[in-house]
Amino acid sequence: MSPYEQFKQEGRAEIAAQGADPDLAKASLDWINKANARRYSYHFEWMGRPIIQYPQDIVAMQELIWTVQPELIIETGIAHGGSLIFMAAMLELNAACGGPQDAKVLGIDIDIRAHNRAAIEAHPMARRIAMIQGSSVAPEIVAQVHAAAAGKSRILISLDSNHTHEHVLAELKAYAPLTTVGSYCVVFDTVVEDMPAAMFPDRPWGPGNNPKTAVFEYLKDHPEFEIDKAMDHKLLVSVAPDGFLKRVR
Ligand SMILES: C[S@@+](CC[C@H](N)C(=O)[O-])C[C@H]1O[C@@H](n2cnc3c(N)ncnc32)[C@H](O)[C@@H]1O
């Protein structure tokens, strides 16, 4: 066994152990709840654009983008564009390292604010980014995304728009089938299910109605996807527990 394989093998055992540690799980969720009350996830940037993510999840996405080497990443929910810029930058690095040379990220948002669009289009990573404005579940938008995905051999999906059960379930039905075997459909904000309802006074989502409930319903009929529990156990602090869906067949 190579030193790298040995290191990874030890890591798998450590990750399984930390994932089975109830004290650590509780401490992680307590931390998430306290940090959420401080709008923790709104305070980071990637290459100068606000990215509404936890650093842990950004590292997780980097690992997936390197491993999968996607030709296309599809993300619903653009906001300020930080996650689009981040994924474009990872595709740029993949290309520099011999990966797909023309890989792109396609973002969809119901409301791409003019100042956000201008900043994204002016960014050095812009050549790898395309954007569509409209609801991610509108049939004409879904058709445009499917047309963009045609012929791509490795596709990664990231769902991070409206976080209601109904919307995310519709997004899963529309986009999860585009996930190529061995790649991932990542569903963000599944953590809402594990948080107190009082955290979401002004939101249509909350416990019982959120991305995780949508994931569980979708997976009932979609055995081609498995939740990557090792990713959850590795991250512990993540907005996407049970949301890293690996397409296994
Ligand atoms: C959480 S933010 C996205 C954050 C971004 N992915 C990041 O990491 O920086 C959610 C975005 O979803 C968009 N959105 C809400 N409803 C939508 C819909 N029906 N279709 C597409 N986008 C939607 C909002 O306009 C908002 O910009």
Side-chain angles (χ1 to χ4, degrees):
M1 191 186 296
S2 71
Y4 172 75
E5 264 311 316
Q6 171 96 36
F7 181 74
K8 295 304 289 181
Q9 192 177 59
E10 287 164 11
R12 280 191 288 275
E14 290 157 3
I15 288 165
Q18 75 176 23
D21 179 340
D23 291 339
L24 195 46
K26 182 180 178 309
S28 301
L29 190 55
D30 284 350
W31 186 90
I32 288 171
N33 282 326
K34 287 191 167 75
N36 189 62
R38 298 285 179 192
R39 287 175 53 86
Y40 177 86
S41 62
Y42 290 86
H43 306 147
F44 299 95
E45 295 200 345
W46 191 273
M47 296 176 79
R49 291 306 299 160
I51 179 168
I52 308 171
Q53 298 289 351
Y54 280 16
Q56 287 85 345
D57 290 323
I58 297 173
V59 172
M61 291 302 288
Q62 176 274 325
E63 290 191 6
L64 297 186
I65 293 168
W66 175 258
T67 305
V68 172
Q69 295 284 321
E71 291 180 341
L72 178 67
I73 302 175
I74 297 164
E75 175 163 84
T76 65
I78 295 173
H80 303 263
S83 54
L84 284 188
I85 301 290
F86 157 68
M87 292 188 282
M90 294 304 105
L91 295 177
E92 197 68 43
L93 286 177
N94 282 356
C97 297
Q101 295 300 298
D102 297 320
K104 298 269 187 322
V105 52
L106 174 58
I108 303 115
D109 201 296
I110 198 165
D111 179 17
I112 306 174
R113 306 268 164 90
H115 58 94
N116 287 330
R117 180 186 283 279
I120 295 165
E121 288 178 348
H123 197 278
M125 292 297 123
R127 73 186 188 93
R128 293 200 178 268
I129 296 172
M131 292 179 280
I132 300 175
Q133 178 160 290
S135 175
S136 55
V137 297
E140 66 276 16
I141 302 294
V142 175
Q144 283 182 57
V145 175
H146 278 247
K152 306 288 184 194
S153 58
R154 289 185 303 282
I155 299 176
L156 182 70
I157 310 287
S158 166
L159 304 180
D160 190 23
S161 67
N162 177 324
H163 301 311
T164 63
H165 175 97
E166 184 188 17
H167 185 82
V168 177
L169 186 58
E171 284 191 331
L172 281 164
K173 288 177 179 167
Y175 301 120
L178 294 175
T179 313
T180 45
V181 175
S183 184
Y184 282 74
C185 176
V186 182
V187 184
F188 284 97
D189 275 27
T190 47
V191 74
V192 169
E193 177 67 3
D194 309 324
M195 299 173 79
M199 288 276 180
F200 311 100
D202 55 350
R203 298 291 200 178
W205 51 83
N209 171 14
N210 58 70
K212 192 184 285 195
T213 59
V215 164
F216 287 164
E217 185 167 338
Y218 184 76
L219 291 186
K220 281 182 198 163
D221 304 323
H222 291 277
E224 70 274 26
F225 285 98
E226 288 179 359
I227 293 172
D228 184 347
K229 294 300 288 186
M231 183 64 93
D232 296 342
H233 295 160
K234 174 160 69 177
L235 295 174
L236 295 175
V237 170
S238 167
V239 301
D242 294 320
F244 288 88
L245 308 182
K246 182 173 187 179
R247 184 154 192 183
V248 292
R249 64 180 103 128

